[in-house]
Amino acid sequence: MSVLTDLVAELNSGKLRIVDLTQPLGPETPVIGLPPQFGASPGVTMEVISKFDEKGPAWYWNTIQMGEHTGTHFDAPVHWITGKDLPENRCDTIPARRFVGPACVIDVTADVAKNQDFLLMPEHVVAWEKKNGGIPAGAWVLLRTGWSARTDGKSFLNVGPDGPHSPGFHKTASELLAKERDVLGVGVETVGTDAGQAGTFDPPFPNHTTMHGAGKFGLASLRNLDQLPATGAVVIAAPLKIVNGSGSPLRVLAIAPA
């Protein structure tokens, strides 16, 4: 038990810190939009059940309604058609051990500042590894883009006449990470794990197609990636245990050096 005792001691001493990678979840939380022929995910609605009143004099609580993929959320393999027949592919069947892994943070904020449609390529991954070491199996690869600085819904979703624009992964980078590096999954600051224009790619939404087809996960709408080192942090990203759940809002936490 010495490792766990040491972990608590390091947290209490301030040598380690907890970084919250989660955006607030409420009625103002931006939600991804789809073309009108597809079903739409609702935004967050909250209704008071009781608040220290005649319906409950000593307690306060609400009902909430939202889509599974709202705010900072987890994508399970069953979310995508390529992962629908895999074993242990839902929020309630994925082993809990697979929610925890080391973080590899790839910083492309300078590239995204020049090009809002920036795509991570395999050469970017290889260059990162030359500087920081190889991406270990079972890691969370987090794409730091600076996108979470867009705190208003309009600029965060960034929808133009030709659809949304935001950075993401080229299909070859997703294939490298999923198949050659065997990562747990990827995390992004944007509303989804594919680039804004990914509906026009071949195949459409290649990160979803590749990651979930390989039994990997996605984390979307992350924040505070600028507070993590390139390596050395551990991420805990556990979705709600929703029966047959394709995904879930969650609170993503990182344990990082102070």
Side-chain angles (χ1 to χ4, degrees):
M1 295 297 289
S2 62
V3 173
L4 296 180
T5 302
D6 290 346
L7 173 62
V8 173
E10 296 281 81
L11 286 168
N12 289 339
S13 72
K15 293 181 180 179
L16 293 175
R17 60 199 173 97
I18 302 295
V19 182
D20 190 348
L21 306 183
T22 317
Q23 72 170 212
L25 184 63
E28 302 303 316
T29 300
V31 178
I32 195 169
L34 297 176
Q37 66 267 32
F38 300 122
S41 180
V44 178
T45 56
M46 301 177 66
E47 183 176 346
V48 174
I49 300 173
S50 68
K51 191 174 184 180
F52 319 121
D53 53 24
E54 65 279 1
K55 295 182 179 179
W59 53 92
Y60 165 54
W61 52 349
N62 302 301
T63 60
I64 55 176
Q65 181 182 9
M66 70 190 81
E68 291 173 321
H69 301 263
T70 302
T72 302
H73 66 270
F74 180 95
D75 291 348
V78 75
H79 176 47
W80 215 250
I81 191 169
T82 51
K84 71 182 183 68
D85 296 321
L86 296 178
E88 298 179 336
N89 64 350
R90 306 182 305 275
C91 288
D92 60 325
T93 61
I94 299 168
R97 171 64 186 87
R98 299 190 67 202
F99 301 138
V100 182
C104 296
V105 183
I106 301 179
D107 183 2
V108 295
T109 52
D111 299 283
V112 173
K114 299 173 185 176
N115 176 15
Q116 62 185 356
D117 294 310
F118 171 83
L119 298 179
L120 188 78
M121 303 295 293
E123 51 262 38
H124 297 117
V125 177
V126 172
W128 184 93
E129 290 184 312
K130 287 181 178 178
K131 182 178 180 180
N132 300 285
I135 294 173
W140 287 107
V141 173
L142 308 180
L143 190 62
R144 179 185 165 194
T145 59
W147 206 261
S148 60
R150 299 175 175 235
T151 54
D152 67 286
K154 184 176 180 179
S155 65
F156 181 73
L157 297 175
N158 200 33
V159 179
D162 57 345
H165 290 268
S166 59
F169 299 87
H170 191 272
K171 67 177 181 179
T172 54
S174 297
E175 289 167 353
L176 172 69
L177 293 172
K179 299 175 182 178
E180 297 184 34
R181 300 299 186 268
D182 192 23
V183 300
L184 279 179
V186 296
V188 298
E189 296 180 67
T190 49
V191 75
T193 62
D194 265 294
Q197 288 286 296
T200 67
F201 295 174
D202 182 19
F205 306 103
N207 187 70
H208 281 77
T209 299
T210 299
M211 283 289 159
H212 300 323
K216 310 301 182 182
F217 314 133
L219 303 173
S221 296
L222 298 175
R223 288 190 173 182
N224 298 324
L225 295 186
D226 59 319
Q227 296 184 30
L228 300 184
T231 64
V234 172
V235 166
I236 304 168
L240 297 173
K241 202 169 184 178
I242 301 170
V243 175
N244 295 322
S246 74
S248 163
L250 78 172
R251 192 156 191 171
V252 184
L253 302 177
I255 305 173

